[in-house]
Amino acid sequence: RGVDLMSVYVRIYADKVVEQIETNGDISTMYPPTLVWVCVDHLDPLPRQGWLAKEQGGEWLFSPELPITATPETQAVAIAAERFMHEAGGVIVDGLTIETTRDSQTLIAGMGLSAIVDPEYRCNFKSANGFVEIDAPRILAIAKAVRTHVQACFDRERELLLAIDSGNYRPEMLTEGWPDVPPVPEPGL
C-alpha cells in the first residue's frame, strides 16, 4: 500500500467491533499495543460497530450481531461491557498517556503506595509515550487520575443501570456520557 492510500481498520474488543477508523498511518504505532486493530479493506461489506468478530486460523471473521430481545439483564450486560471498554481507555496526566487496563491499574496502585510510604521514591515508568522517570508527587497525580477515570466509568454504569430500573433507559444512552479517551500520542514523545 502506498503512503497516501487510506486503509479502514476496526477495533475488536470482547469479540465485537467497537470502533472503526480510516487512516493512512501505521496503526501499530498509533495506539497502545493492548488494543486489537484489524485492517478490513478487503471486506465487502465493511464490518460495523456492534458486529461479532472471531479470529479463526489467523483470519478474522465478522458477522452482524443477531438482534437480542432487550431485557434489563441483557441491557445490564451490555452496559458492563461498555464500561469495561471505557475503563481501559486510558488517561492523560502531565502530557503522558497512561493505560488504565486492569493490569495497569494494579501496577499504578502499587507505585502509588510506594510514593506514599517514601516521599522520595522515584521510578522509571512506561507510559504509552515511552519510558519516563517520575517522582512521588507525579506518581500520586497519575494514581489519582487513573482512579478518578475508573470511578467515573463505574459511576456512569450505575447511572445507566438506574435508568433501566426507572424505565428511562434508551439504547443510544449506551455510548453517551463516558469519560473521554485520550488522543493518540505521537511516536517518540
Side-chain angles (χ1 to χ4, degrees):
R1 255 187 189 281
V3 174
D4 295 326
L5 295 178
M6 302 291 270
S7 290
V8 177
Y9 293 89
V10 293
R11 184 163 63 93
I12 310 301
Y13 179 79
D15 298 326
K16 279 193 177 181
V17 174
V18 295
E19 187 176 359
Q20 179 184 34
I21 65 165
E22 189 172 341
T23 182
N24 63 353
D26 180 0
I27 199 82
S28 67
T29 63
M30 296 170 61
Y31 292 91
T34 54
L35 301 181
V36 177
W37 288 96
V38 177
C39 182
V40 293
D41 286 341
H42 63 286
L43 298 178
D44 185 24
L46 291 175
R48 296 172 51 178
Q49 189 171 351
W51 279 33
L52 301 176
K54 183 166 182 75
E55 188 174 20
Q56 196 170 44
E59 294 289 322
W60 281 94
L61 305 174
F62 299 94
S63 61
E65 186 172 27
L66 298 174
I68 298 174
T69 303
T71 65
E73 293 78 20
T74 59
Q75 291 170 330
V77 168
I79 290 168
E82 188 77 9
R83 185 256 316 136
F84 189 77
M85 182 182 70
H86 287 279
E87 176 188 340
V91 295
I92 295 179
V93 180
D94 295 332
L96 296 176
T97 303
I98 309 297
E99 288 189 17
T100 56
T101 62
R102 293 282 169 96
D103 287 344
S104 294
Q105 290 177 49
T106 302
L107 294 171
I108 291 166
M111 198 171 57
L113 181 58
S114 293
I116 290 169
V117 170
D118 178 6
E120 300 301 314
Y121 180 73
R122 302 179 71 80
C123 69
N124 291 310
F125 178 74
K126 186 175 182 182
S127 73
N129 309 80
F131 277 99
V132 61
E133 186 177 336
I134 54 176
D135 59 10
R138 198 165 188 198
I139 290 168
L140 294 175
I142 289 169
K144 183 177 180 181
V146 168
R147 187 63 225 149
T148 299
H149 169 80
V150 170
Q151 189 60 54
C153 291
F154 277 97
D155 290 346
R156 180 61 181 153
E157 178 181 11
R158 182 173 185 273
E159 290 170 4
L160 294 175
L161 293 175
L162 291 172
I164 290 171
D165 290 345
S166 67
N168 294 321
Y169 180 78
R170 297 177 323 280
E172 60 272 13
M173 293 169 70
L174 181 64
T175 58
E176 301 170 347
W178 299 99
D180 291 332
V181 174
V184 178
E186 293 181 30
L189 289 182

